Amino acid sequence: MKKHNFYAGPSILPQYTIENTIAALKDFAGMGLSLMEISHRSKQFVAVVDEAVALFKELLNIPEGYSVIFVGGGASLQFSMVPYNILNKKAAYLNTGEWATKAIKEAKLFGEVNVVASSEDKQFNYIPRGYKVPTDVDYFHITTNNTIYGTEILEDLEVGVPLVADMSSDIFSRVIDVSKYAIIYGGAQKNLAPAGVTFAIIKDDILGKVERAIPTMLKYSTHISKESMFNTPPVVPIYAALQTLKWLKDSGGVAAMEKENKRKAALLYGEIDRNPLFRATVPAPEDRSRMNVCFVMNEGYEHLEKEFNDYATEQGMIGIKGHRSVGGFRASLYNALPYTSVEALVETMQAFEKMKK
Ligand SMILES: *Cc1c(COP(=O)(O)O)cnc(C)c1O
């Protein structure tokens, strides 16, 4: 039976990415050797990194004065690398969920942290608005997509101080204005590549302003000056990322993705709002994530949660169980997930409704 992959991360990748990566694992760039067993400094692999950086810049329309790097350590290491490199005295953070909370915890090791607003009072089911960002902070940090609780900041904020964004789970899902950001970072395993590589887009002039000593590997300028080749980068995930970027370009780029992502999210939220058995956990439509759609059994139907999960799994819906801290269901609709998979999930929800009424 056809499987529909709704996992939150690691998650669905384009078939193009998977097939080309498998091929390169057998024979990379006609070298007669596996991608796993060649030097990262071979001209063939240096070309991979160069092309991946060029496609990042092209697809996101990154202006002059920014660098793109690929490193290890996951988005979680960026929670420390950001303050290590750019927090002098004080930073502001927006707390919209578990990932933001983790980023805040790390930043506190480096200076004063002002949490300007939080949605923790309502289980992170909304995006705070109307807060003020102090003008004397080194930067303001946001998590654009709250992968666990299913909220998303769908605009580029104007805050008057350097803006830093964790875009692990919504990079390339909508058109962004990179010039509004000082740093954008993310783990690749949600919308780009298998786990193991982390990207960072850094405005060069944000660096060099802190006085502390920074360990070489944790210093952005190390990786920028060595073009992600200071040490051995995650070769296979970077190769896979390049395939996804090529697929993205062939599919019409980020604007085309955004259009399709809006259609997919509208279809699924529409069914959740219509179907009396289910309820979206994020009430305000403008706060709902297009990437991670969280829903639960509606009042009076709570006892059917396990039964729906089992039924949906039988129908080929994989990975829709909600995060352990939320419960219920979460369907992740990343770029590579086709519209037809969302249709299949909607049909499953409708069939379950008929069975129960
Ligand atoms: C998954 C995720 C992370 C953690 O990424 P790792 O690469 O596992 O460290 C951080 N932030 C967001 C928004 C995520 O979705």
Side-chain angles (χ1 to χ4, degrees), residues 1 8 83 98 105 150 176 239 273 293:
M1 186 210 292
E98 267 187 47
K105 180 176 173 228
I176 54 168
Y239 183 84
D273 289 343
V293 177

Side-chain angles (χ1 to χ4, degrees), residues 73-77 79 99 143 145-147 166 168-169 187 189-190 198:
S76 300
L77 185 60
F79 297 164
W99 298 117
T143 311
N145 185 60
N146 176 1
T147 322
D166 173 358
S168 293
S169 52
Q189 68 274 21
K190 313 280 164 57
T198 309

Side-chain angles (χ1 to χ4, degrees), residues 18 20 26 34 37 47 64 70 107 113 139 142 150 157 169 183 258 262 293 300 320-321 328 349:
I18 294 169
N20 286 356
K26 292 184 175 161
S34 168
E37 56 178 5
E64 288 291 306
F70 300 112
V113 174
Y139 64 90
I142 58 173
L157 302 180
S169 52
I183 298 179
E258 175 169 353
K262 281 182 178 164
V293 177
I320 62 163
K321 204 168 162 38
M349 293 165 78

Side-chain angles (χ1 to χ4, degrees), residues 92 133-141 157-164 180-182 206:
V133 178
T135 52
D136 63 342
V137 295
D138 297 315
Y139 64 90
F140 177 48
H141 181 284
L157 302 180
E158 293 274 4
V159 284
V161 300
L163 183 60
V164 175
K180 299 265 166 65
Y181 299 85
I206 192 80

Side-chain angles (χ1 to χ4, degrees), residues 202-219:
I202 301 156
K203 193 172 187 204
D204 299 317
D205 69 11
I206 192 80
L207 301 177
K209 294 178 186 167
V210 296
E211 270 162 33
R212 70 175 66 86
I214 305 171
T216 311
M217 270 295 283
L218 300 181
K219 215 174 182 169

Side-chain angles (χ1 to χ4, degrees), residues 266-283:
L267 178 64
L268 185 51
Y269 283 116
E271 174 60 17
I272 295 166
D273 289 343
R274 182 211 62 81
N275 193 319
L277 268 62
F278 302 99
R279 173 174 64 81
T281 57
V282 178

